[in-house]
Amino acid sequence: MQAMTYRAYGTPDVLQLTTITRSVPEAGEVLVQVHAASLNQADLYLLRGEPWVARLSSGLRRPKRPTLGADVAGRVVAVGGGVTEFQPGDAVYGDLAACGFGGFAEYVCARAEALAPKPASLSFPQAAAVPMAAVTALQGLRAAGPVEAGERVLIHGASGGVGTFAVQLAKSMGAHVTAVCSARHVEQARALGAEHVIDYTREDFTRDSRRYGLILVVNGRRSLAEYRRALSPRGRLVVAGGDVGTIMQATLLGPAVSIARGVRVRGLVARPSRQDLMLVGHLLDSGAVVPVIDRCYPLGELPEAMRYLASGHARGKVVITMEQAGQ
Ligand SMILES: NC(=O)c1ccc[n+]([C@@H]2O[C@H](COP(=O)([O-])OP(=O)(O)OC[C@H]3O[C@@H](n4cnc5c(N)ncnc54)[C@H](OP(=O)(O)O)[C@@H]3O)[C@@H](O)[C@H]2O)c1
């Protein structure tokens, strides 16, 4: 089978289209014919081996896993021993980050628990755009407590993979959503349900008088103190992405800041969850949430797709489609 592989950390140029042997599913595994996969920032970290902490799981000197790709959608081809929830022919999707990646290939063996039935209303490319970004957004919104109906929720970085889901999920929870993005994404944020949109190139939300019950930081480069200034009394701040220093501060100092300042501050480490993916799946099938896809590339153009994601300005998700995929 064809797969995009790499043998050394580096730029997207180290990725090569290679013919490799198709794996046979072991007990608890499912062999999936991948129809589409999507890119995440995690793929870029593992491609570059940076930040350095990414190498702890993927190999200190060179990558142990030759094929990246966490988010996949496809059809079950075979199941290993003990797998009862799927059978050949089932359409599935999932996030393989906790079970070895490997989605940028025509076939991948995945742990059954990483997969869920594909929402019937979505095409394979749409489904591949969902797992990691949507589950991160969902877990981020509730990491410091549930969102309440009518609560003011601000999403800092509302236009990329995670941000477009965060706006819609917050809206589906009944929040009054403020989206922070650049001017070229203002209309999209409104269309996804944001009541109020702030262009970060012209306005500084940490300096106006509006206060928020929850700020979810997806992308952005502000300090903890600046974010805290925009919180209402007993407000919650969850830092999922953006500036590495702010993520570390939120993770390490969050509990102390929370006690000292009467707010709740958390750094987020999202984890793949079938339960959360199923919850998102229902919202997708109901039409309350839609995946936003910026660009699709064929498998052989993964390096170009990676370069585009690395530009930091993707509008929603970047998706890889397989030529053999029947939609
Ligand atoms: N904590 C976790 O477990 C977890 C899980 C998944 C992802 N993440 C992190 O979440 C972050 C976002 O991931 P993603 O997949 O959504 O990335 P992404 O799709 O690459 O994000 C691209 C978007 O970010 C926006 N952006 C760039 N700079 C910005 C700024 N200064 N202020 C506001 N928006 C800005 C861009 O909009 P413009 O073009 O308008 O600037 C673009 O639409 C990454 O840091 C990723 O590592 C964390």
Side-chain angles (χ1 to χ4, degrees):
M1 68 165 187
Q2 301 269 285
M4 289 301 290
T5 62
Y6 73 134
R7 300 283 165 199
Y9 294 117
T11 67
D13 297 331
V14 301
L15 291 163
Q16 288 187 327
L17 192 61
T18 324
T19 301
I20 60 172
T21 310
R22 198 168 96 176
S23 305
V24 174
E26 295 180 359
E29 287 186 344
V30 173
L31 177 66
V32 177
Q33 181 180 18
V34 179
H35 287 196
S38 80
L39 278 62
N40 288 286
Q41 291 290 333
D43 295 304
L44 275 176
Y45 303 148
L46 293 174
L47 174 69
R48 297 171 174 146
E50 286 172 12
W52 200 84
V53 69
R55 299 187 183 210
L56 292 178
S57 63
S58 79
L60 292 183
R61 293 168 61 98
R62 60 182 67 86
K64 286 186 286 196
R65 293 181 294 250
T67 305
L68 295 168
D71 280 343
V72 296
R75 276 197 195 279
V76 174
V77 175
V79 299
V83 175
T84 53
E85 63 268 60
F86 298 115
Q87 54 188 18
D90 286 352
V92 294
Y93 73 147
D95 172 358
L96 314 187
C99 63
F101 288 73
F104 298 143
E106 289 177 314
Y107 295 86
V108 64
C109 268
R111 300 289 311 166
E113 60 267 22
L115 301 169
K118 178 180 81 66
S121 61
L122 300 190
S123 66
F124 285 106
Q126 285 177 314
V130 173
M132 188 185 289
V135 168
T136 298
L138 178 65
Q139 294 182 1
L141 286 168
R142 60 183 194 205
V147 170
E148 290 178 11
E151 186 172 40
R152 279 189 179 178
V153 172
L154 179 137
I155 311 296
H156 189 189
S159 51
V162 178
T164 49
F165 282 111
V167 169
Q168 298 179 82
L169 289 167
K171 184 78 187 164
S172 77
M173 294 169 184
H176 180 284
V177 180
T178 296
V180 180
C181 57
S182 71
R184 70 192 193 102
H185 294 133
V186 166
E187 281 316 310
Q188 171 181 272
R190 285 215 180 91
L192 294 176
E195 277 90 357
H196 185 58
V197 185
I198 296 173
D199 170 2
Y200 69 77
T201 63
R202 301 177 56 167
E203 261 183 83
D204 181 354
F205 69 89
T206 70
R207 296 212 166 268
D208 69 23
S209 58
R210 207 178 276 252
R211 296 287 174 267
Y212 301 91
L214 170 66
I215 296 178
L216 174 60
V217 181
V218 175
N219 253 314
R221 319 238 151 248
R222 311 310 297 260
S223 67
L224 275 197
E226 288 171 311
Y227 285 124
R228 229 185 41 235
R229 204 161 55 205
L231 285 180
S232 54
R234 293 185 297 284
R236 286 124 45 226
L237 169 65
V238 177
V239 184
D243 182 63
V244 176
T246 309
I247 300 172
M248 296 299 284
Q249 279 179 24
T251 305
L252 300 175
L253 307 179
V257 173
S258 302
I259 293 167
R261 306 283 176 172
V263 291
R264 259 177 281 170
V265 177
R266 300 273 185 279
L268 179 75
V269 180
R271 293 196 163 73
S273 156
R274 179 193 276 168
Q275 204 180 347
D276 288 345
L277 191 55
M278 303 273 283
L279 197 157
V280 170
H282 292 307
L283 293 168
L284 289 159
D285 268 339
S286 76
V289 173
V290 293
V292 178
I293 295 179
D294 183 346
R295 295 186 184 183
C296 290
Y297 295 82
L299 180 63
E301 290 179 21
L302 180 63
E304 194 49 41
M306 285 284 204
R307 275 188 279 275
Y308 181 60
L309 185 73
S311 75
H313 297 290
R315 179 195 292 249
K317 293 287 299 180
V318 179
V319 170
I320 297 295
T321 52
M322 307 294 160
E323 293 215 325
Q324 90 286 3
Q327 300 305 310

